[in-house]
């Protein structure tokens, strides 16, 4: 008898992405997407009931923010590796996710054969970093005071960066408060801190900065 298939759950709100990855892994003999979730809350519910060998997590979904989902998985299912699947460029989100426990960060434009290689690497108990990600991580060790690219948005905490991205995308404070389960007053305080750190004055300024630096499209 062969080895049992490694069980992967994918969390992505686009059915075409889930189906596409299923087709990619159907071509292998050692991995299978055995379950799906369309948002972070559904993923966490399934993790409470079932066991998986790997979580493939989209970075932008309805419901619970991907960063919060990642942190919760690391707190409650630390043995289960998480691979982030994203359309966002490495330099914007990858290091934040890796520093919070992701085992790999895959861009959705990655070649299918490379995706298989990355997933097998992570399932073997290792982490997978691209050369660019490795260089950025090295900078954090060698010159931590410079962060890894000296951009203003890298001075924000993870929570501030979440709120910054949502504000820049046009979300209202009430919407952000509901999504992150915190008060509008707290959102207002974070916004003030963000504006001060970023040296910006309006939400339009935030949006312009975010577009220019590839944080939103």
């Amino acid at each position: 008898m062969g080895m049992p298939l490694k069980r992967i759950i994918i969390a992505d709100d686009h059915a075409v992405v889930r189906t596409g990855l299923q087709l990619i892994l159907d071509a292998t003999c050692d991995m299978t997407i055995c379950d799906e979730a369309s948002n972070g809350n559904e993923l966490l519910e399934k993790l409470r009931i079932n066991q998986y060998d790997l979580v493939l997590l989209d970075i932008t979904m309805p419901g619970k923010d991907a960063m919060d989902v990642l942190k919760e998985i690391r707190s409650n299912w630390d043995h289960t590796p998480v691979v982030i699947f994203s359309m966002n460029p490495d330099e914007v989100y990858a290091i934040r996710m890796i520093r919070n426990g992701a085992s790999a960060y895959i861009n959705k434009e990655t070649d299918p054969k490379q995706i298989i290689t990355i997933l097998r690497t992570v399932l073997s108990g290792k982490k997978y970093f691209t050369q660019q990600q490795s260089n950025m991580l090295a900078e954090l060790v060698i010159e931590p005071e410079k962060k890894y690219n000296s951009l203003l948005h890298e001075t924000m905490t993870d929570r501030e960066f979440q709120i910054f991205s949502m504000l820049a995308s046009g979300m209202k404070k009430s919407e952000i408060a509901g999504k992150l389960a915190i008060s509008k007053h707290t959102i207002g305080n974070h916004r003030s801190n963000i504006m001060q750190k970023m040296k910006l004055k309006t939400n339009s300024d935030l949006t312009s900065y975010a577009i220019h630096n590839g944080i939103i499209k």
Side-chain angles (χ1 to χ4, degrees):
M1 292 181 64
M3 295 292 289
L5 292 174
K6 295 294 186 180
R7 293 164 49 83
I8 298 173
I9 181 170
I10 177 172
D12 194 296
D13 58 323
H14 293 99
V16 67
V17 174
R18 301 196 301 269
T19 301
L21 283 165
Q22 180 72 67
L23 291 172
I24 290 172
L25 295 192
D26 278 348
T28 72
C29 60
D30 55 342
M31 296 179 286
T32 183
I33 291 180
C34 65
D35 210 346
E36 300 178 357
S38 59
N39 58 64
N41 296 320
E42 184 182 357
L43 170 63
L44 293 172
E45 284 298 320
K46 292 194 172 188
L47 284 169
R48 294 184 184 102
I49 299 170
N50 305 306
Q51 290 188 334
Y52 307 97
D53 296 299
L54 184 145
V55 173
L56 194 52
L57 176 63
D58 180 29
I59 202 171
T60 52
M61 289 187 298
K64 199 174 183 73
D65 185 79
M67 180 67 76
D68 291 335
V69 172
L70 173 60
K71 290 179 178 179
E72 189 162 340
I73 294 173
R74 291 279 61 83
S75 295
N76 296 296
W77 300 279
D78 192 47
H79 63 285
T80 305
V82 178
V83 172
I84 302 298
F85 202 50
S86 174
M87 284 299 296
N88 296 301
D90 285 4
E91 62 269 18
V92 177
Y93 291 95
I95 299 306
R96 284 187 183 273
M97 290 296 179
I98 290 169
R99 291 172 73 181
N100 279 285
S103 295
Y105 183 100
I106 304 177
N107 189 285
K108 289 185 177 180
E109 296 180 357
T110 301
D111 179 81
K113 291 182 180 179
Q114 185 67 10
I115 290 175
I116 291 172
T117 296
I118 294 170
L119 295 181
R120 283 177 174 156
T121 299
V122 172
L123 284 165
S124 73
K126 301 175 183 177
K127 294 184 182 292
Y128 183 97
F129 304 137
T130 65
Q131 186 60 56
Q132 181 183 19
Q133 291 163 8
S134 296
N135 291 342
M136 289 189 292
L137 286 167
E139 283 189 36
L140 281 173
V141 174
I142 297 169
E143 298 182 291
E145 72 282 357
K146 292 185 178 180
K147 300 291 182 179
Y148 54 86
N149 58 11
S150 300
L151 292 175
L152 286 174
H153 64 261
E154 294 307 331
T155 65
M156 286 187 274
T157 65
D158 290 333
R159 177 63 89 190
E160 287 171 347
F161 187 74
Q162 286 176 312
I163 293 170
F164 161 75
S165 300
M166 293 175 186
L167 287 169
S169 298
M171 291 180 67
K172 298 178 180 178
K173 287 195 291 185
S174 57
E175 294 175 309
I176 299 171
K179 185 175 178 67
L180 299 181
I182 55 180
S183 71
K184 286 195 294 183
H185 178 72
T186 300
I187 298 295
N189 288 339
H190 280 303
R191 181 185 179 280
S192 296
N193 291 336
I194 291 165
M195 291 298 191
Q196 183 175 5
K197 287 183 177 181
M198 299 289 290
K199 299 179 174 59
L200 300 173
K201 294 182 179 180
T202 68
N203 284 4
S204 295
D205 294 336
L206 284 180
T207 299
S208 296
Y209 179 96
I211 292 173
H212 179 74
N213 288 281
I215 297 167
I216 63 171
K217 296 181 179 180

